[in-house]
Amino acid sequence: MTVLVVLLVFFVLACVSSWLLLFDGARDALSGWWARIRARFARTGTRVSGGLARSIGAGGRAAAGVGSGVRQDLRRHRWLVLASVVLLVLPPLLVLGLRQRVVLPGFQGDDLGESQTMIAGLLRGERLVPPPPPPPAVFTTREIREERPEIVTADRRWDHVDADLQQRVLAIYRVMQTQHGIRMVLVEGYRSPERQAELAREGRATLAGAWSSCHQYGLALDSAPMRDGKLQWDMGDAWTRRAYFLYGELAEQAGLTWGGRWTRLKDYVHVESTRSCREARAARRAASD
């Protein structure tokens, strides 16, 4: 509804502008009427009120003259007016009719309707089994040791991940592989409170302290896309960026929270079961009281 109102206002303004640009009589009448109004308002005292009354009368006569002139001009230039109206109205009507999608930078434009249906079907079906892990050397390259050393010693055991979260992420992996040709790899699942505290203290990969992260409850995991035998991290690369945003949107369709939406620290590899994690934290606090 808002779009239609904006288009209507734009159309009215465009028509008025075209009228003033095409017809000299319209511009002259409007200029004369405005000049008389300004002159009348410049006077003071009783002459202002009298002048205002005369101006209104003159404006009425001018408006009547303009109306008559407009009708004559419209009849004389009816094909030009019709062509102008078509040119103004046709583009927005085509946009509304075709429903073309506008994709902003940083967001992928794939139609994920079928993906959502596939994820739902997978979650209702048989239990999914984790895929074979990549060779250990994938996690110990020189690049990883220099830039992401925490990955080398990360826990990548699927059986340490909450069963429900495991099935949701495996469904996402299946869709990423079969529909988009992107292989996702588990980078880290469970994280001990001691490891969490160490990572937070060193400012690596997290801002959360011990027992504040969903990793400690097996309710979060980190994944990365793999291409040409290497894990991909560079969000400046178009393929990698598309892969992570696909992963994030599918995670949200599966009812998970994606770290790529966070504002303080963008964590594109991270997904979690936020509600279950909140309940686990509350249960831990209650048990310690």
Side-chain angles (χ1 to χ4, degrees):
M1 182 60 70
T2 302
V3 175
L4 293 177
V5 172
V6 171
L7 290 175
L8 180 61
V9 172
F10 173 81
F11 174 72
V12 172
L13 292 175
C15 288
V16 173
S17 300
S18 300
W19 172 54
L20 294 174
L21 289 173
L22 291 173
F23 306 122
D24 295 337
R27 293 197 300 272
D28 294 341
L30 184 62
S31 298
W33 180 78
W34 179 244
R36 285 190 291 273
I37 289 294
R38 287 194 304 172
R40 297 299 188 272
F41 272 105
R43 298 175 183 176
T44 58
T46 57
R47 295 185 61 188
V48 170
S49 59
L52 183 58
R54 288 193 298 272
S55 176
I56 292 174
R61 290 191 297 272
V66 169
S68 177
V70 168
R71 286 193 295 271
Q72 294 177 3
D73 288 337
L74 287 175
R75 284 195 296 268
R76 187 166 58 251
H77 302 289
R78 59 184 178 275
W79 296 114
L80 179 59
V81 173
L82 180 60
S84 300
V85 171
V86 170
L87 289 176
L88 289 169
V89 173
L90 188 58
L93 288 181
L94 286 175
V95 172
L96 290 174
L98 296 177
R99 290 293 195 273
Q100 294 181 345
R101 298 183 64 189
V102 178
V103 181
L104 300 177
F107 295 89
Q108 51 79 28
D110 299 87
D111 183 2
L112 298 180
E114 185 179 352
S115 299
Q116 185 174 12
T117 301
M118 186 174 179
I119 287 178
L122 289 170
L123 292 175
R124 288 195 302 267
E126 61 181 324
R127 183 175 179 81
L128 300 174
V129 178
V138 170
F139 304 100
T140 57
T141 63
R142 185 175 66 177
E143 177 187 3
I144 289 179
R145 288 184 178 278
E146 292 177 354
E147 300 180 9
R148 299 174 180 269
E150 68 276 3
I151 291 176
V152 177
T153 57
D155 188 331
R156 285 178 281 274
R157 290 173 290 183
W158 281 99
D159 57 353
H160 285 191
V161 176
D162 175 76
D164 178 73
L165 174 61
Q166 179 184 133
Q167 290 300 297
R168 292 175 190 268
V169 173
L170 290 176
I172 295 167
Y173 281 16
R174 178 78 62 85
V175 173
M176 293 282 288
Q177 179 70 58
T178 58
Q179 291 196 352
H180 304 286
I182 299 173
R183 181 184 179 185
M184 298 298 294
V185 173
L186 176 63
V187 173
E188 183 171 18
Y190 171 76
R191 186 183 294 163
S192 69
E194 293 77 18
R195 175 177 170 82
Q196 184 71 35
E198 179 184 358
L199 293 177
R201 184 170 56 253
E202 296 178 358
R204 291 188 291 162
T206 184
L207 298 176
W211 295 113
S212 297
S213 171
C214 296
H215 281 280
Q216 274 83 83
Y217 306 93
L219 291 166
L221 58 78
D222 298 339
S223 305
M226 191 166 73
R227 180 176 58 173
D228 300 329
K230 295 180 62 178
L231 300 178
Q232 303 298 311
W233 318 101
D234 182 12
M235 292 300 287
D237 175 69
W239 184 93
T240 304
R241 189 172 186 83
R242 175 178 176 269
Y244 275 112
F245 274 92
L246 273 172
Y247 174 63
E249 290 205 24
L250 291 172
E252 291 171 344
Q253 289 183 5
L256 303 176
T257 298
W258 178 45
R261 302 288 187 207
W262 293 345
T263 55
R264 291 187 62 196
L265 176 65
K266 296 290 186 182
D267 197 354
Y268 298 103
V269 302
H270 181 96
V271 296
E272 65 181 44
S273 299
T274 303
R275 178 179 298 179
S276 298
C277 182
R278 190 180 298 118
E279 293 173 353
R281 288 197 194 103
R284 180 180 177 278
R285 287 194 299 267
S288 61
D289 290 343

